[in-house]
Amino acid sequence: MAGGRSYGNPRFRSPILITLLFISSLLIFIFFSPSSPPKLTSNHSHIPMLNPTVDYSFLTSLQKFLNSPGKSHQSREDSVTNTVTEADVEKLDDLIWKREAERLYEDSYYPAFSVVRVYVYEMPDRFTYDMLKLFWNTYKETVNLTSNGSPVHRLIQQHSIDYWLWADLIAPESQRLLKNVVRVYRQEDADLFYIPFFTTISYFLLEKHQCKSLYREALKWVTDQPAWNRSGGRDHILPVHHPWSFKSVRKYMKNAIWLLPDMDSTGNWYKPGQVSLEKDLILPYVANLDLCDAKCLAESESKRKTLLFFRGRLKRNAGGKIRAKLVTELNRAEDVVIEEGTAGEVGKAAAQHGMRTSVFCLCPAGDTPSSARLFDAIVSGCIPVIVSDELELPFEGILHYSKIAVFVSSNDAVQPGWLLTYLKRFGVAQLKEMQMNLAKYSRHFLYSHPAQPLGPEDLAWRMLSGKLVNIKLHTRRSQRVVEESRSLCFCDCKPANFTSSRPLS
């Protein structure tokens, strides 16, 4: 067409071709150019940062909890003993059945199935607020030590999972962030019942006779409840995170869901038939050390010169005897630091420095298969080397620990030269990947108030949600199977020739 542009003319095609060639070259360069190995700090999107509006410290959170007007409550003391009747139990069971039937046939039932409905018992103050106040008024007495030299108040903080879960459950709904657990105020609406008794505080801070007396009172108070008698306690949550706590009476509550640090199959802390992965839940210790966040991880990356680090008590009882053998094997080895631990701020600072300047952190069994050291290593960005053959891990149905930790059998670990040779085989890329996974996973072990999504409180309820159908199965089955039946089925694992004395409840 006269006077118009002809796009077939080479004079007009050249700029277009040049532009297309430039874009194509740029794309080829982006997609096919060699990339450098990923750095630990290359992607911070999944590395948790401490939120300044959230309390991660037990002491800070507890102080606010006790002083906040929003946590005011009516003092509860029951001098009159309540006696549960069979009619009370049947009435509650009928109400629960009707509520479950309604939810079963509602269209919205299945999408909401993962939401756990929890009824929190309002126990007398002597089991709850008085215990927290006792801790708060005495925690500065650091001379108060256990028989093995550990400060009792630090131990209470390590095992303070009962506080973190309870504080979140009873917080005003407008302040709660977790969506997979709701507090209900009618027992017939509940999937689970939470027992807010501070078993660890009472064990360590009361005189022995006072503690045993309070344990018996708590046992009677709970087992007098209609909901307990309806299920035999199978849908009740009992926080007994320290293995010494509630020991004198817990055999009477072995059907309940225990919140534990580990299973301890050695039999030193839990008797056969008391604990099992089917009914109970493993929860992490509260870490002693501060989180090494994205900025800290970037700064510490070049400082991790030590291959393997351990600081703690070098001799322990029971399952912890492996420590002495490891010390003998690893002492004075090159690139290895083995130190006797000390309590207090000086000891904490030394442990934190050691973990932040090491690639691997040795996590052997202590008096029990687990210890807080594992979670100190995780939040410090130090790859745990777990030497504990009987260890059970928290949230293992959700988290893949082999991506963040190295598991070594006790037999292999004490063989001359074996452990260090094994650790030195890890390549740079493999170590980087494990460190990145540690950075992402650390949020799962940070207790806080308010409880954070994907924090340990959140994962605890996700794990409990998975147990609900089985809990209801055993509850209903216990109501109709006669005691003399040969087909009794229990949750705990036991050898075929084991004769159970568990009462049918």
Side-chain angles (χ1 to χ4, degrees):
M1 190 174 179
R5 288 187 177 181
S6 173
Y7 288 96
N9 191 320
R11 189 162 55 91
F12 297 105
R13 187 169 65 240
S14 298
I16 297 174
L17 286 174
I18 292 171
T19 302
L20 290 174
L21 287 171
F22 174 79
I23 294 174
S24 301
S25 301
L26 182 62
L27 290 174
I28 291 172
F29 175 80
I30 292 173
F31 284 109
F32 294 100
S33 61
S35 58
S36 57
K39 290 184 176 293
L40 182 62
T41 56
S42 61
N43 182 4
H44 296 169
S45 60
H46 295 292
I47 299 178
M49 299 292 289
L50 294 181
N51 186 334
T53 65
V54 174
D55 291 321
Y56 300 92
S57 161
F58 175 65
L59 292 176
T60 303
S61 179
L62 180 57
Q63 183 180 29
K64 292 181 180 178
F65 180 88
L66 293 175
N67 295 335
S68 172
K71 295 296 187 301
S72 62
H73 70 291
Q74 289 185 334
S75 179
R76 289 185 51 83
E77 292 298 333
D78 55 348
S79 57
V80 179
T81 302
N82 296 319
T83 303
V84 63
T85 66
E86 187 174 342
D88 295 329
V89 177
E90 291 181 357
K91 179 180 179 181
L92 177 60
D93 186 65
D94 191 50
L95 288 171
I96 289 176
W97 174 80
K98 289 180 179 178
R99 192 70 188 96
E100 289 179 345
E102 289 172 5
R103 291 205 297 261
L104 178 63
Y105 296 108
E106 288 175 357
D107 292 339
S108 61
Y109 175 72
Y110 288 101
F113 185 68
S114 61
V115 176
V116 182
R117 301 166 180 84
V118 181
Y119 181 88
V120 182
Y121 280 124
E122 294 186 6
M123 297 183 73
D125 285 2
R126 62 183 182 275
F127 303 120
T128 56
Y129 288 92
D130 289 352
M131 290 294 99
L132 293 176
K133 291 174 183 176
L134 176 62
F135 174 89
W136 180 254
N137 293 332
T138 60
Y139 81 90
K140 292 182 180 179
E141 298 174 9
T142 54
V143 294
N144 194 357
L145 305 176
T146 65
S147 58
N148 64 13
S150 300
V152 297
H153 290 87
R154 191 184 70 182
L155 282 175
I156 290 170
Q157 292 180 62
Q158 287 179 10
H159 296 279
S160 59
I161 56 96
D162 42 14
Y163 166 77
W164 296 107
L165 287 172
W166 185 57
D168 179 64
L169 283 172
I170 67 174
E173 198 60 35
S174 60
Q175 298 176 16
R176 297 186 65 252
L177 302 177
L178 303 188
K179 304 303 181 185
N180 62 333
V181 57
V182 296
R183 180 185 181 185
V184 296
Y185 295 87
R186 299 188 306 177
Q187 294 191 3
E188 59 265 31
D189 293 332
D191 297 312
L192 298 171
F193 296 80
Y194 186 83
I195 304 169
F197 177 37
F198 291 91
T199 58
T200 301
I201 293 179
S202 53
Y203 175 82
F204 280 113
L205 299 185
L206 293 179
E207 296 294 334
K208 188 173 183 179
H209 69 280
Q210 292 177 313
C211 180
K212 287 189 174 182
S213 176
L214 193 64
Y215 282 176
R216 289 192 296 269
E217 290 177 29
L219 172 67
K220 185 174 190 328
W221 194 96
V222 173
T223 56
D224 275 348
Q225 303 303 313
W228 176 276
N229 285 271
R230 171 189 168 269
S231 68
R234 291 176 175 85
D235 50 6
H236 282 55
I237 300 170
L238 179 67
V240 283
H241 199 259
H242 193 281
W244 297 344
S245 64
F246 217 52
K247 196 170 184 179
S248 59
V249 297
R250 62 191 181 198
K251 63 182 178 181
Y252 302 109
M253 302 180 77
K254 59 186 178 183
N255 283 347
I257 304 162
W258 290 6
L259 305 183
L260 303 167
D262 54 51
M263 289 286 147
D264 181 38
S265 62
T266 63
N268 293 308
W269 310 109
Y270 310 112
K271 300 302 180 185
Q274 287 186 351
V275 296
S276 72
L277 285 176
E278 183 180 10
K279 77 174 185 70
D280 300 319
L281 187 65
I282 307 297
L283 291 184
Y285 290 69
V286 177
N288 293 313
L289 306 185
D290 302 327
L291 171 69
C292 188
D293 60 13
K295 181 175 182 293
C296 165
L297 289 169
E299 293 173 348
S300 66
E301 186 174 7
S302 61
K303 299 177 183 177
R304 296 186 183 271
K305 305 297 185 183
T306 301
L307 176 66
L308 182 63
F309 174 79
F310 173 84
R311 181 181 175 84
R313 292 184 62 83
L314 301 182
K315 294 182 179 180
R316 300 305 293 261
N317 301 319
K321 293 178 181 179
I322 184 67
R323 288 194 187 182
K325 297 179 181 179
L326 287 170
V327 170
T328 301
E329 163 60 20
L330 298 171
N331 225 359
R332 293 185 293 277
E334 186 179 359
D335 295 331
V336 175
V337 174
I338 304 290
E339 299 175 344
E340 179 74 38
T342 54
E345 291 302 314
V346 174
K348 174 182 175 179
Q352 187 155 288
H353 173 76
M355 287 193 169
R356 292 185 180 186
T357 55
S358 302
V359 178
F360 294 102
C361 283
L362 186 63
C363 299
D367 289 342
T368 61
S370 65
S371 74
R373 182 172 294 99
L374 169 60
F375 309 104
D376 289 343
I378 291 173
V379 301
S380 299
C382 187
I383 301 170
V385 179
I386 298 174
V387 187
S388 182
D389 300 340
E390 307 295 335
L391 179 64
E392 298 293 349
L393 293 162
F395 317 135
E396 199 165 7
I398 299 173
L399 307 178
H400 193 348
Y401 280 87
S402 294
K403 299 298 182 182
I404 63 167
V406 176
F407 293 87
V408 178
S409 73
S410 297
N411 288 336
D412 287 339
V414 297
Q415 297 301 315
W418 188 93
L419 182 59
L420 296 183
T421 300
Y422 178 68
L423 296 179
K424 289 176 182 178
R425 291 176 182 169
F426 283 80
V428 174
Q430 191 175 6
L431 293 177
K432 292 282 188 184
E433 183 180 359
M434 295 186 78
Q435 289 168 340
M436 279 297 299
N437 289 334
L438 273 176
K440 296 175 184 178
Y441 269 36
S442 59
R443 71 182 61 198
H444 306 314
F445 305 100
L446 296 175
Y447 291 92
S448 64
H449 189 71
Q452 300 294 295
L454 296 182
E457 301 93 337
D458 187 15
L459 296 196
W461 295 115
R462 294 182 188 221
M463 293 288 291
L464 286 169
S465 174
K467 296 177 182 286
L468 281 181
V469 170
N470 211 36
I471 290 169
K472 294 178 187 295
L473 181 154
H474 284 285
T475 296
R476 290 300 184 195
R477 194 172 186 278
S478 71
Q479 294 171 340
R480 57 91 179 168
V481 175
V482 296
E483 189 169 358
E484 294 78 13
S485 171
R486 290 177 295 176
S487 63
L488 290 177
C489 176
F490 303 119
C491 293
D492 47 292
C493 302
K494 55 183 180 290
N497 61 353
F498 178 83
T499 302
S500 174
S501 60
R502 170 182 282 183
L504 182 65
S505 49

